[in-house]
Amino acid sequence: MADKYYVAGIDGGGSKTECAIVDQDGLCVAIGLGGPSNIFYADISNVIESLDTAMASAIENAGEHVKVVLTGCTHRAARIPEVKARISERLGGDVRLYTEGEAALGSAGFSERFGIALIAGTGSSAFGFTRDGKRCRAGGWGMLLGDEGSAYDIAVSGLRSATRMMDGRGPKTVILDRACEHFCISPGFESFVQFFKGTPRDKIASFAPMVTAAAREGDTAAETIVSNAARDLAECVIALARKLFSQDDEFPVALHGGVMRDSRTAECITELIKERYPNADVRTPIYSPGVGLALFTLNDMVGG
């Protein structure tokens, strides 16, 4: 291509939607953000609104001179023809669909569709890829059936420890005070039941960092919760590795999502993985998910 061209990446989840635009050299020129857009937990109208907000912000930040030729998108909603057409119309390029796993690999600096990606944000899931095209996944069953180790799971486990403390069924924990402060509620049966009966999933998940912070401070209940979360997440990676690789193979593992911002959790997951697969190259993100997907899409386009 003679003229300079640009590639976009759109990644959306239970807490936010990100649209990033990079140039042909891989330089990020703009990022736009929108609200939650997980199609399993939001109405399609809200999903489209979040997408529109993220895209409009990215376009405004990039400037009119930027012409996108290809957009990578992790959204399940992009499989809907009307939504896919809307993305193409707003950004001006064709739309190529990817998994959250490919976005996670890109965010960790891996440009090849190979290895394992573990995502632990509002929800959790893991994706595995081999060079001969084999793919598989683990987790991602949603907040009712799974999502172990996710921010939502950590937050709910913390809130349950708070209710057990109030009942006298569990040990004392600072999580109760942290929950009351974070959600602006008072301790007690009525206030907890009434408040959390209608609280959105992403708002509950926002409490997870308070639980991990309590663990770092030595709170026993919080330490148990975070340790269990790390073990559950590592088990997803190990389950996929058993299917795809031998114990001595070298393969990349991307740890992605808000839960990985807690270095102790990421380190614990890494140790558990490397106990079983010592040659795994485990990395945390160096790019945001939208940027990572845009770079992965750019490399995918250049590579054919």
Side-chain angles (χ1 to χ4, degrees):
M1 298 181 184
D3 297 330
K4 193 166 188 177
Y5 61 92
Y6 299 83
V7 172
I10 300 178
D11 181 82
S15 298
K16 71 178 188 306
T17 302
E18 179 182 348
C19 176
I21 300 174
V22 303
D23 66 18
Q24 64 193 49
D25 299 317
L27 177 66
C28 181
V29 298
I31 293 177
L33 298 177
S37 59
N38 186 321
I39 197 168
F40 292 134
Y41 300 103
D43 294 334
I44 187 63
S45 60
N46 293 330
V47 170
I48 292 174
E49 181 182 358
S50 294
L51 283 167
D52 278 341
T53 300
M55 290 189 293
S57 178
I59 293 168
E60 181 180 358
N61 293 334
E64 294 182 359
H65 66 285
V66 170
K67 303 300 179 184
V68 173
V69 299
L70 181 65
T71 297
C73 189
T74 63
H75 267 286
R76 292 178 178 89
R79 297 190 181 104
I80 302 171
E82 293 81 0
V83 176
K84 187 175 182 180
R86 192 184 193 98
I87 294 170
S88 181
E89 179 184 354
R90 292 298 303 270
L91 293 176
D94 293 332
V95 178
R96 188 176 292 182
L97 301 181
Y98 292 92
T99 66
E100 297 95 328
E102 288 157 314
L105 287 170
S107 294
F110 300 117
S111 59
E112 187 181 4
R113 191 178 285 102
F114 171 69
I116 296 175
L118 173 65
I119 300 104
T122 304
S124 66
S125 56
F127 299 81
F129 308 89
T130 62
R131 288 196 173 97
D132 61 3
K134 186 176 180 180
R135 301 184 181 201
C136 55
R137 66 174 294 162
W141 293 96
M143 64 180 181
L144 179 62
L145 301 179
D147 279 352
E148 297 92 338
S150 67
Y152 179 84
D153 181 54
I154 291 171
V156 169
S157 296
L159 293 169
R160 286 173 177 161
S161 72
T163 62
R164 286 194 293 270
M165 174 183 166
M166 286 188 283
D167 279 350
R169 294 182 292 128
K172 290 184 178 181
T173 172
V174 300
I175 295 175
L176 175 59
D177 289 338
R178 303 285 170 85
C180 293
E181 180 181 357
H182 181 74
F183 294 109
C184 299
I185 56 177
S186 58
F189 178 85
E190 292 293 338
S191 58
F192 266 62
V193 170
Q194 289 300 318
F195 181 83
F196 290 107
K197 182 169 61 176
T199 303
R201 174 173 171 262
D202 58 304
K203 187 169 183 179
I204 292 175
S206 71
F207 183 58
M210 287 75 210
V211 179
T212 55
R216 288 195 299 272
E217 296 164 11
D219 183 89
T220 302
E223 286 181 327
T224 299
I225 291 167
V226 174
S227 177
N228 289 341
R231 185 166 52 254
D232 285 336
L233 291 169
E235 284 176 355
C236 280
V237 174
I238 291 168
L240 293 182
R242 279 199 302 264
K243 296 178 182 178
L244 301 175
F245 306 109
S246 69
Q247 194 167 11
D248 296 325
D249 279 348
E250 297 180 5
F251 57 91
V253 177
L255 304 184
H256 186 71
V259 170
M260 305 305 173
R261 294 193 189 109
D262 179 63
S263 60
R264 287 181 56 181
T265 302
E267 288 168 5
C268 183
I269 294 169
T270 300
E271 290 174 4
L272 291 168
I273 293 169
K274 291 183 78 67
E275 283 176 5
R276 300 287 295 276
Y277 296 90
N279 295 321
D281 180 9
V282 186
R283 302 184 195 176
T284 52
I286 56 177
Y287 306 110
S288 66
V291 174
L293 181 58
L295 292 172
F296 192 93
T297 303
L298 175 64
N299 184 75
D300 208 28
M301 180 181 72
V302 173

